[in-house]
Amino acid sequence: MKQRISSQWLAGAAALAATAPVLAAGGDVGNAAKQATNWTAIIMFTAFVVATLWITKWAAGRTKSASDFYTAGGGITGFQNGLAIAGDYMSAASFLGISASVMASGYDGLIYSIGFLVGWPLLTFLLAERLRNLGRFTFADVAGYRFAQTPFRIFASCGTLVVVAFYLIAQMVGAGQLIKLLFGLDYWIAVVMVGGLMMIYVLFGGMTATTWVQIIKACLLLAGVTFMGFMVLAKYGFSPEALFAEGVKVRTQIAANGGAEASVAEKLGLAIMGPGGFIKDPISAISFGMALMFGTAGLPHILMRFFTVPDAKEARKSVFVATGLIGYFYILTFVIGFGAIIYVTQDNPHFFQTMVKEGKTVVEMIGGTNMAAIHLSEALGGNLFLGFISAVAFATILAVVAGLTLSGASAVSHDLYASVIRKGEATSQEEMRVSRITVLVLGVLAIVFGLMFENQNIAFMVGLAFAIAASANFPILMLSMFWKGLTTRGAVIGGFSGLMLALVLIILGPSVWVQVLHHEAPIFPYGNPAIFSIPAAFIMAWLGSITDKSKQAELDKAGFEAQYVRSMTGIGAEEASDH
């Protein structure tokens, strides 16, 4: 019996390795089974909510103008903003998904950590200073500095809202399934709770409250993963080599228990230290890496954080701090993944359950593979630490959805309402009113979509958000700053080309065409379109610009010098508001 279960577990591990990219991309925990109520987690999470609601009340007293609402009046320090950026970026998908993919496929799961991290030096050296000097409230303020405002802002707000929508749905569904599993609450309660709290934070506290929610969450998450990493490494004398050797040994033993010959078992054990177990072909690997790397520099809720600091120096400092913290976090997720290989074993009924599926006995991890880090927290620190990590995972989702909602609201109120509909004539109060209405609408839509997608595999959505940010926002942002020849027409054509191509290829690809629409084979064979859609956006923007002989094109090109001077010196940039 034991041998049969072990061999089935081995087959399950192979299947897990194959599906891990999909799982990790969205932090999808599947259609989780409701567990017993975890009072430790609920008490800790309640404490977090009470603290953040008090901060929201304090922030509401400081939120008097549109500048305060969108960017905390530019009064956040570089270090605080670095912590908040890290809090915004280190999502539950990263924490749960990367450790799960490392547990499933070992070393190869590190492509996520590297992909998510390498976009930051790009932001540090090329964009941070220019973003702060050119920007006011949104990504469109920077990229559209010298262009005709109406067409450009329509494109920018479409790009922002599409990215926000996909990211938000993934986070809401993830929250619902996670809470059902960790807290023992019903799915709909979890979704309504996340939507309601997010609306309160953003409606009343604006960017100030959102920033402090993200700072607190970053500190809690970093404390949690530090403890986990410390406990895992302490057992092996803080030697990563000894930890990896033990991981290989455990995998070899599992293969041997499954009936594999000694040489085959050894090969299977060593496979977790080699590449190729995760993303099979080079085009997918490059495309995936490009989406993660360039997507970071096009995510609207991340770009928006650069306008919250007083000047360009603090903007650079905030990226420096964020990069260090995010790098530290991703190194620890790798250690946690290997810790899960060793500690979260299938012979423990706390972590795995034997069930019959389609007439076959299978051993499955309780809650699905993305629960590896959560189960490890129980193995290392008992029920108290499990409660803490569960609460942190929920707090993580709350902080990310607050940042997303704020960037979506600013796209509607600042880009569409104030700049396109009112042609720059809107007062600060009118803009804030539209912003708050948008927050309510986005909050309700997030709850509705969260409930609608309950039983869907939403894993592709975060990957889709990164691909669209990389294909639509990033090329236009780079070209507007570094190429004098870009015109309004070129920017809009290029941006929409990247946006539409990324969207179409993802629908025709395996993650939607096969897994959601249940067709036999995908029309587009690769999981991520970035390797095709990013160059397409650059080429179409170039083509649209060089064929543009209009009077507006001359004005666009003539405005480059003034844009360049301001981006490099900060002369005329938004100042921090007085409080």
Side-chain angles (χ1 to χ4, degrees):
M1 177 69 184
K2 187 182 175 187
Q3 188 168 340
R4 192 169 84 242
I5 289 175
S6 296
S7 62
Q8 283 155 350
W9 195 89
L10 186 64
L16 171 59
T19 58
V22 177
L23 290 162
D28 180 29
V29 293
N31 191 14
K34 185 179 167 186
Q35 301 293 307
T37 306
N38 184 339
W39 287 108
T40 316
I42 289 174
I43 291 164
M44 288 187 180
F45 177 68
T46 305
F48 170 81
V49 170
V50 169
T52 49
L53 287 174
W54 183 85
I55 286 168
T56 305
K57 183 177 178 294
W58 164 78
R62 298 168 62 94
T63 305
K64 296 180 178 71
S65 65
S67 173
D68 296 334
F69 186 78
Y70 295 131
T71 63
I76 306 287
T77 68
F79 182 76
Q80 288 169 346
N81 196 43
L83 258 175
I85 289 172
D88 213 350
Y89 198 68
M90 299 182 304
S91 65
S94 301
F95 173 47
L96 302 177
I98 295 173
S99 47
S101 64
V102 171
M103 183 188 180
S105 47
Y107 170 82
D108 226 25
L110 201 59
I111 189 168
Y112 269 107
S113 306
I114 293 167
F116 280 131
L117 186 63
V118 290
W120 286 99
L122 189 77
L123 273 168
T124 310
F125 297 114
L126 289 181
L127 298 174
E129 192 171 344
R130 292 167 188 254
L131 280 167
R132 178 62 193 88
N133 286 337
L134 289 173
R136 189 164 171 237
F137 297 152
T138 65
F139 144 77
D141 291 336
V142 180
Y145 183 82
R146 59 193 167 100
F147 302 131
Q149 293 301 296
T150 300
F152 187 85
R153 284 185 188 269
I154 289 170
F155 149 69
S157 50
C158 285
T160 297
L161 289 169
V162 170
V163 172
V164 166
F166 284 116
Y167 222 124
L168 205 51
I169 292 168
Q171 295 293 335
M172 293 300 280
V173 178
Q177 301 291 7
L178 203 58
I179 302 320
K180 189 162 75 171
L181 186 79
L182 301 180
F183 290 60
L185 297 176
D186 286 330
Y187 178 86
W188 72 269
I189 294 175
V191 169
V192 171
M193 198 194 304
V194 173
L197 284 168
M198 167 257 284
M199 284 191 269
I200 292 169
Y201 292 149
V202 182
L203 269 178
F204 298 106
M207 181 56 94
T208 308
T210 303
T211 298
W212 282 101
V213 169
Q214 287 162 347
I215 289 172
I216 293 168
K217 163 257 161 123
C219 294
L220 290 173
L221 184 58
L222 287 168
V225 293
T226 300
F227 177 77
M228 288 171 82
F230 180 87
M231 293 297 283
V232 169
L233 284 169
K235 192 180 176 187
Y236 300 98
F238 296 96
S239 165
E241 190 181 349
L243 173 69
F244 299 151
E246 183 66 19
V248 169
K249 190 174 152 190
V250 168
R251 276 295 165 88
T252 306
Q253 188 61 48
I254 289 168
N257 291 347
E261 291 177 18
S263 58
V264 176
E266 192 178 344
K267 195 175 176 184
L268 285 168
L270 280 169
I272 62 167
M273 295 308 296
F278 195 37
I279 295 176
K280 303 297 181 191
D281 63 285
I283 291 179
S284 290
I286 294 166
S287 190
F288 187 62
M290 284 174 73
L292 295 182
M293 179 178 175
F294 299 127
T296 302
L299 288 174
H301 62 295
I302 297 292
L303 295 176
M304 197 177 176
R305 292 229 54 93
F306 290 98
F307 315 136
T308 64
V309 289
D311 53 41
K313 181 187 172 190
E314 292 298 306
R316 279 197 305 272
K317 185 176 167 185
S318 61
V319 193
F320 179 75
V321 170
T323 308
L325 293 173
I326 292 164
Y328 171 71
F329 170 74
Y330 285 137
I331 288 169
L332 285 176
T333 54
F334 191 58
V335 172
I336 289 166
F338 268 88
I341 289 174
I342 296 161
Y343 285 95
V344 185
T345 52
Q346 84 273 21
D347 54 8
N348 191 326
H350 268 287
F351 309 138
F352 282 83
Q353 56 193 1
T354 306
M355 49 172 55
V356 177
K357 268 192 177 177
E358 297 169 7
K360 294 177 184 172
T361 306
V362 291
V363 179
E364 281 195 352
M365 189 182 289
I366 295 169
T369 49
N370 274 9
M371 288 295 105
I374 303 289
H375 291 319
L376 179 64
S377 69
E378 187 180 2
L380 296 173
N383 198 48
L384 191 69
F385 189 58
L386 169 68
F388 175 75
I389 289 293
S390 301
V392 167
F394 198 16
T396 294
I397 290 172
L398 261 183
V400 173
V401 294
L404 285 166
T405 308
L406 196 55
S407 65
S410 64
V412 172
S413 59
H414 183 63
D415 294 341
L416 287 179
Y417 175 75
S419 302
V420 175
I421 297 167
R422 294 292 303 275
K423 309 286 184 198
E425 300 294 315
T427 65
S428 178
Q429 274 65 37
E430 286 173 331
E431 208 173 305
M432 280 177 74
R433 190 172 67 246
V434 173
S435 216
R436 288 188 160 127
I437 293 166
T438 310
V439 169
L440 282 172
V441 172
L442 278 173
V444 171
L445 285 175
I447 291 168
V448 170
F449 282 121
L451 295 171
M452 275 172 58
F453 281 84
E454 178 182 357
N455 297 317
Q456 293 292 321
N457 179 355
I458 47 88
F460 65 92
M461 285 190 183
V462 169
L464 179 55
F466 267 87
I468 290 170
S471 309
N473 298 350
F474 170 74
I476 305 309
L477 188 62
M478 292 299 286
L479 287 173
S480 70
M481 284 187 185
F482 295 100
W483 184 41
K484 183 179 180 177
L486 186 70
T487 66
T488 304
R489 193 179 88 171
V492 173
I493 290 172
F496 273 121
S497 300
L499 178 68
M500 296 311 295
L501 187 61
L503 214 55
V504 169
L505 291 182
I506 281 180
I507 290 166
L508 299 178
S511 54
V512 178
W513 200 251
V514 177
Q515 287 169 18
V516 177
L517 301 176
H518 305 296
H519 291 279
E520 281 294 307
I523 296 170
F524 175 70
Y526 305 108
N528 202 298
I531 197 168
F532 302 102
S533 53
I534 295 173
F538 277 105
I539 290 164
M540 292 305 290
W542 170 76
L543 205 59
S545 297
I546 60 162
T547 56
D548 188 358
K549 307 297 180 195
S550 65
K551 192 152 184 64
Q552 179 61 45
E554 289 172 27
L555 291 170
D556 295 338
K557 290 169 187 171
F560 182 78
E561 292 302 326
Q563 176 191 300
Y564 180 75
V565 169
R566 176 164 156 177
S567 73
M568 298 309 287
T569 62
I571 295 168
E574 280 285 307
E575 298 291 331
S577 67
D578 293 325
H579 284 297

